[in-house]
Amino acid sequence: MKINLKVWRQVNNTSEGKFEIYEVDNVLEDMSFFEMLDMLNNSLIEKNESPIAFDHDCREGICGTCGVVINGRAHGPLKGVTSCQLHMRSFKDGDTLVLEPWRSNSFPIVKDLVVNRQAFDRVMEAGGYISVKTGGAPDANAMPIFKENADEAFDSATCIGCGACVAACKNSSAMLFVGAKVNQYAQLPQGQIEHEKRVQDMVAQMDAEGFGSCTNTGACEADCPKEISVTNIIKLNKEYLKSKLA
Ligand code: SF4
Ligand code: FES
């Protein structure tokens, strides 16, 4: 099939960007979306043109490195998948796809579709850790955890830090990401030592990075490839309030 692409091209963070139009022929429906971009890049290189820069690593929906806005949706039209898990069978012959990077002042553009997501790393540095006693490993089952708490911690921990929630939100809010990270620790006994400090420090860093506020549109949950629930934001607000009262 033939796919028409309108791709955001930008040399670096200080230059002006613009859309460039490309036609990709002989696209197979079993190709991944990134294999289609690889094919286009090979043809650009053969013509001595600059290939389109896009982020990827595992290409299996695990690492959180990839992220393209496709026709206005972070990670594209399918629910619960990353850009790298998308296949061309999701599109039709002759379709036009508009490809853009994550748009947020807190994620400055590095080049083309690549953005700098170090703001998330700094939020994690502020509180995404636990303290443990040194010495021998504790006995298995020495620290009982209710199944509901273990399940909830696991659900929150599936967040891969991709940033799609920020890209999808009209306010560039990072509260789904921060909520998932805070809730993951809040559910477990190991997370209790820094409990109050963690939520305050992570929220303070989130604000310092310039992420916006949540206005309950739910766009973050809709585009999150791991389907992290907005209840994590409710939990975040609850944890924050509790820590302030304490
Ligand atoms: S909450 Fe979802 S969209 Fe946001 S960073 Fe985590 S996995 Fe990505
Ligand atoms: S490249 Fe790892 S999640 Fe997409």
Side-chain angles (χ1 to χ4, degrees), residues 1 48 83 121 168 172 191 193 214 240 246:
M1 54 184 179
N48 268 333
S83 311
D121 296 338
S172 282
I193 298 171
C214 172
Y240 187 76

Side-chain angles (χ1 to χ4, degrees), residues 75 120 158-166 176-177 180-181 220 223-228:
H75 287 303
F120 269 13
T158 57
C159 164
I160 52 175
C162 63
C165 44
V166 174
L176 193 64
F177 165 76
K181 297 305 172 193
C220 52
D223 280 5
C224 171
K226 297 299 162 187
E227 301 182 299
I228 300 286

Side-chain angles (χ1 to χ4, degrees), residues 101-223:
W102 286 173
R103 302 280 191 193
S104 166
N105 283 343
S106 305
F107 291 158
I109 291 179
V110 176
K111 187 176 181 188
D112 299 336
L113 305 175
V114 177
V115 298
N116 180 339
R117 279 169 290 178
Q118 285 178 338
F120 269 13
D121 296 338
R122 291 187 287 270
V123 171
M124 287 305 285
E125 278 168 29
Y129 55 84
I130 58 165
S131 296
V132 290
K133 286 194 175 123
T134 54
D139 285 343
N141 299 328
M143 203 180 276
I145 301 168
F146 286 114
K147 184 172 185 316
E148 307 84 76
N149 295 102
D151 286 350
E152 197 174 327
F154 187 81
D155 284 349
S156 298
T158 57
C159 164
I160 52 175
C162 63
C165 44
V166 174
C169 176
K170 63 176 181 166
N171 309 319
S172 282
S173 169
M175 285 185 73
L176 193 64
F177 165 76
V178 178
K181 297 305 172 193
V182 165
N183 195 36
Q184 158 192 343
Y185 294 111
Q187 293 301 321
L188 301 174
Q190 292 91 334
Q192 300 313 307
I193 298 171
E194 291 91 0
H195 191 62
E196 283 144 11
K197 184 172 156 33
R198 172 179 302 111
V199 63
Q200 291 188 24
D201 288 353
M202 289 181 93
V203 167
Q205 190 62 38
M206 175 181 83
D207 290 343
E209 298 292 348
F211 292 111
S213 302
C214 172
T215 50
N216 299 316
T217 65
C220 52
E221 181 184 290
D223 280 5

Side-chain angles (χ1 to χ4, degrees), residues 72-94:
R73 296 291 303 272
H75 287 303
L78 295 191
K79 202 167 162 45
V81 299
T82 52
S83 311
C84 63
Q85 293 174 295
L86 196 58
H87 283 80
M88 295 312 293
R89 54 181 166 267
S90 301
F91 305 104
K92 293 192 302 294
D93 184 33

Side-chain angles (χ1 to χ4, degrees), residues 34 56-66 82 84 160:
F34 281 173
H56 58 100
D57 190 357
C58 70
R59 295 200 178 193
E60 291 181 338
I62 299 167
C63 69
T65 307
C66 67
T82 52
C84 63
I160 52 175

